[in-house]
Amino acid sequence: MSKFFSTLKQMGIEQYGISILFDDETVSVSVLPKSNAKDKALQSLKPLTLRGNVTEVDEKFFQILQKPLEQTKALFRNTVAFEKSLKETEQKTQQAKKKKESTAKKATELKQLLKEKGFNPMQDHKKATDLATAILKIDPEHKEAKKVIDDMKAYDNPQLFN
């Protein structure tokens, strides 16, 4: 008895659709490799079909299928890797967008605080410093936040005479 399934498994593709049709001494075998990738183009693959007498197909089945299945396996692997990379990039882009939006919101808050008519650096320097610190946690290179923290240091420990 041959090792049909073991050999098929060694081809490296996890799922196949197989159809076998016997007509007297002739056999037709269609093998359709399937992928877990979401790419719809992979779903339009046509099956590999072998026709011949039973003995010929028995002897040469894997020999004939090996190269096309190796190419298919590489295509599946590349597609899955691309989809994974695409998803990771999309997540990074969403994180960057959220970071930018959050920084902009806090920067607007800080600007409004500093422009308020009632803003008193002696009393409100802690609030301004806290907002600037929150901005720097999101974006450590934010120039305006750095400037506010630097400017507000004078109000932390005010001294009349140096």
Side-chain angles (χ1 to χ4, degrees), residues 49-65:
T49 303
L50 302 169
R51 281 191 191 92
N53 70 42
V54 175
T55 308
E56 278 180 333
V57 174
D58 268 346
E59 291 172 2
K60 297 181 181 178
F61 182 78
F62 288 107
Q63 181 183 343
I64 293 169
L65 287 181

Side-chain angles (χ1 to χ4, degrees), residues 99 135-146:
K99 178 179 170 182
I135 292 169
L136 291 174
K137 283 182 181 177
I138 300 167
D139 179 5
E141 300 302 316
H142 197 276
K143 291 178 184 176
E144 292 175 39
K146 284 181 175 182

Side-chain angles (χ1 to χ4, degrees), residues 106-157:
K106 295 227 181 267
T108 301
E109 261 182 81
L110 182 59
K111 285 178 188 175
Q112 288 175 343
L113 175 68
L114 297 174
K115 289 182 180 180
E116 282 180 3
K117 285 185 180 178
F119 179 73
N120 179 343
M122 288 296 287
Q123 294 174 341
D124 299 327
H125 71 277
K126 174 142 177 49
K127 191 186 275 186
T129 303
D130 288 348
L131 269 172
T133 302
I135 292 169
L136 291 174
K137 283 182 181 177
I138 300 167
D139 179 5
E141 300 302 316
H142 197 276
K143 291 178 184 176
E144 292 175 39
K146 284 181 175 182
K147 185 179 181 325
V148 167
I149 286 180
D150 205 37
D151 292 348
M152 293 297 141
K153 282 182 183 175
Y155 299 100
D156 275 337
N157 296 314

Side-chain angles (χ1 to χ4, degrees), residues 5-53:
F5 292 105
S6 299
T7 307
L8 199 57
K9 185 176 191 254
Q10 288 174 356
M11 295 288 181
I13 297 175
E14 296 175 5
Q15 186 178 0
Y16 296 91
I18 299 175
S19 174
I20 303 170
L21 174 66
F22 292 99
D23 185 19
D24 292 325
E25 288 300 311
T26 305
V27 64
S28 295
V29 182
S30 294
V31 178
L32 178 61
K34 297 184 180 184
S35 172
N36 294 335
K38 293 174 177 64
D39 189 329
K40 292 189 190 303
L42 295 179
Q43 296 172 3
S44 66
L45 282 177
K46 302 292 182 213
L48 303 160
T49 303
L50 302 169
R51 281 191 191 92
N53 70 42

